[in-house]
Structures are given as C-alpha cells and as structure tokens.
Amino acid sequence: MRAEQKKQIGARLREKRELAGYTREQLGELCGLSPRFLANVELGDSTFSLETLMRVCRVLCCSSDELLFGRRAESQDDLCARIGRLDPAYRGALEKTLQGFFEAVARAGAGK
C-alpha cells in the first residue's frame, strides 16, 4: 500500500472517530486497540489487519469502503440526509441515543 493511501485512510479514520465523539483512548478501549496504534494509523504510519478493520467499522458504524476508499453506501447516505434534516432540537437526543446503542453493540461484538 502506498504511503499516500495510508494517510488518506488515517485521515478518514480520524474524521469518523471525531464525528462519533470518541477520543483515541475511548475508541481503543471499545476495539481492544491501543491509543498509540490508532494514532499511528491516523498518521498513516500503520495499517489495519482485516479483523481490526472489521472491529473499528463495527464500533464507528461505518463500512470498510468508507474508511478504505471514502465511499458510502446509498442507504447510509439516505439515513444521514434524513438525520441532517432533523430539527436541531432533536439531534442532541438522537446522537446520545445512538452513541449508547453503538457502544453496547461494540461491547457485545468484542465478546465474540
């Protein structure tokens, strides 16, 4: 894999992590990874194994295509567009609800 591709993947990982509201420490805990490893991936110095990629995608609720290639599935675009059209008064509650849900799913998936 070329260095530029690694940097692009790392940038997308950081963007997804920050959008989800996680620190590297929090994401690392949910995925069973060290914060240093996540920093190395975000900087383009390391890459994921397939198993690690699957765990990270599960926790961040994104597809591997999003992280690897920057492409989103159409159904995700539709859902994101619908969320984007919500009255701002409801977005905070939805974000808290979804974050709790994703954390519960990630913990359940980490036990498998």
Side-chain angles (χ1 to χ4, degrees):
M1 183 180 300
R2 293 188 338 254
E4 185 58 33
Q5 289 172 313
K6 289 180 184 180
K7 287 181 189 252
Q8 290 171 353
I9 292 167
R12 287 189 287 267
L13 171 63
R14 181 177 182 178
E15 180 183 359
K16 289 289 177 192
R17 176 182 58 76
E18 290 176 347
L19 282 173
Y22 294 128
T23 63
R24 287 184 186 130
E25 290 78 14
Q26 291 168 325
L27 181 59
E29 185 176 317
L30 291 169
C31 296
L33 303 169
S34 75
R36 183 71 244 161
F37 173 75
L38 290 170
N40 287 340
V41 173
E42 288 181 1
L43 293 170
D45 295 333
S46 296
T47 59
F48 294 122
S49 68
L50 181 56
E51 181 180 329
T52 300
L53 175 64
M54 291 169 56
R55 282 192 314 228
V56 169
C57 288
R58 201 174 295 127
V59 171
L60 293 177
C61 192
C62 66
S63 72
S64 58
D65 272 3
E66 278 185 85
L67 283 183
L68 298 176
F69 307 108
R71 296 186 299 237
R72 291 165 68 153
E74 285 185 34
S75 62
Q76 288 176 324
D77 286 336
D78 293 341
L79 180 58
C80 290
R82 289 175 62 194
I83 291 170
R85 290 190 299 266
L86 275 178
D87 183 314
Y90 298 110
R91 286 188 198 156
L94 177 61
E95 287 176 15
K96 286 181 183 178
T97 301
L98 289 175
Q99 185 158 355
F101 172 77
F102 294 139
E103 288 173 7
V105 169
R107 283 189 199 96
K112 290 184 178 181

